[in-house]
Amino acid sequence: MFFYYLDEVMAIPPGEESAVDDFSANLLTMLQYNAPYNRYIRQRKDIPFFICGTDSHAKTDVCVIDRNLGILLLVQEDKRHMESKNPEPQLIADAIAAFQSNNLRLHSLGRQPLAQKTIPGITMVGSTPTFYKITVTQNLIDAIQVGEYPGTSTTVHKLLPPVADITELARLGMRPLDNRAVILSCFEAFRQFL
């Protein structure tokens, strides 16, 4: 099944959404990101999001959800083949929405909301991931809710898989066996941040 999705994801039809979301959900399942039993993988999850005094929504491409803790991981497809949008701002907005949603969930359960949380995320170009750790704070949420510039900076860490030929990574993705081994080992290591 993995190789079927890999073939599909590497052939992006012009003007059409690719199979990246299907590939990503399958890959996360294969690598057991949905373990233990209380976690599951969703596509196109709508997250209510309060921004600038207005109710809005963020929509993930793929995410891992824990039934008790909320959203643990976000995946955003790079759709620049369809439109000229960089996936990083969307991923960061999704992380902010996930933090806000998770804190509302904790509050509804009578638990103390978190002051900050590092949300792991992945952007995908075909079968090529870029890994992120996005630290979201309640101070950032407070500023966004009223449309103010936050008083402190937001930290985002980014990792491109360290393949032998980084210049060909986006084009080749996981097709070459050497790239696949490096990328899969990055996915395995990244699971610890959930």
Side-chain angles (χ1 to χ4, degrees):
M1 189 64 99
F2 172 82
F3 290 103
Y4 170 75
Y5 281 117
L6 182 60
D7 287 342
E8 287 284 314
V9 81
M10 296 305 289
I12 300 172
E16 185 179 313
E17 194 156 337
S18 71
V20 169
D21 295 352
D22 298 328
F23 174 77
S24 299
N26 180 267
L27 181 61
L28 294 175
T29 300
M30 183 181 86
L31 296 172
Q32 299 182 340
Y33 271 65
N34 56 343
Y37 72 92
N38 59 329
R39 292 182 184 170
Y40 58 101
I41 296 168
R42 280 277 316 265
Q43 292 187 48
R44 294 173 288 286
K45 166 84 172 127
D46 188 67
I47 309 169
F49 185 32
F50 191 72
I51 181 171
C52 297
T54 306
D55 287 321
S56 188
H57 295 268
K59 188 169 288 216
T60 68
D61 284 335
V62 178
C63 63
V64 176
I65 300 174
D66 181 285
R67 284 183 171 83
N68 300 317
L69 303 174
I71 297 168
L72 301 179
L73 171 83
L74 303 160
V75 180
Q76 180 66 42
E77 177 186 0
D78 186 332
K79 296 180 180 85
R80 281 185 261 194
H81 68 281
M82 294 175 57
E83 50 200 54
S84 60
K85 289 188 179 176
N86 181 339
E88 287 182 0
Q90 179 66 46
L91 180 68
I92 293 168
D94 289 350
I96 293 166
F99 178 82
Q100 191 179 75
S101 175
N102 290 352
N103 263 352
L104 287 172
R105 173 188 223 113
L106 289 173
H107 180 72
S108 73
L109 296 171
R111 294 171 57 192
Q112 186 68 27
L114 301 175
Q116 78 173 33
K117 171 87 172 136
T118 299
I119 310 267
I122 302 168
T123 59
M124 295 290 292
V125 178
S127 65
T128 303
T130 302
F131 299 91
Y132 296 83
K133 293 189 314 181
I134 305 156
T135 301
V136 182
T137 65
Q138 188 58 49
N139 290 337
L140 175 63
I141 297 297
D142 294 343
I144 286 172
Q145 288 179 344
V146 296
E148 293 179 357
Y149 192 81
T152 58
S153 61
T154 299
T155 303
V156 177
H157 295 276
K158 176 179 178 178
L159 172 78
L160 284 169
V163 297
D165 187 358
I166 198 77
T167 62
E168 290 292 310
L169 179 60
R171 186 176 71 78
L172 297 175
M174 288 194 214
R175 273 217 175 111
L177 182 58
D178 291 346
N179 282 10
R180 192 162 50 247
V182 170
I183 291 169
L184 291 176
S185 70
C186 288
F187 269 101
E188 287 288 339
F190 199 61
R191 192 173 49 208
Q192 71 180 308
F193 298 111
L194 267 62

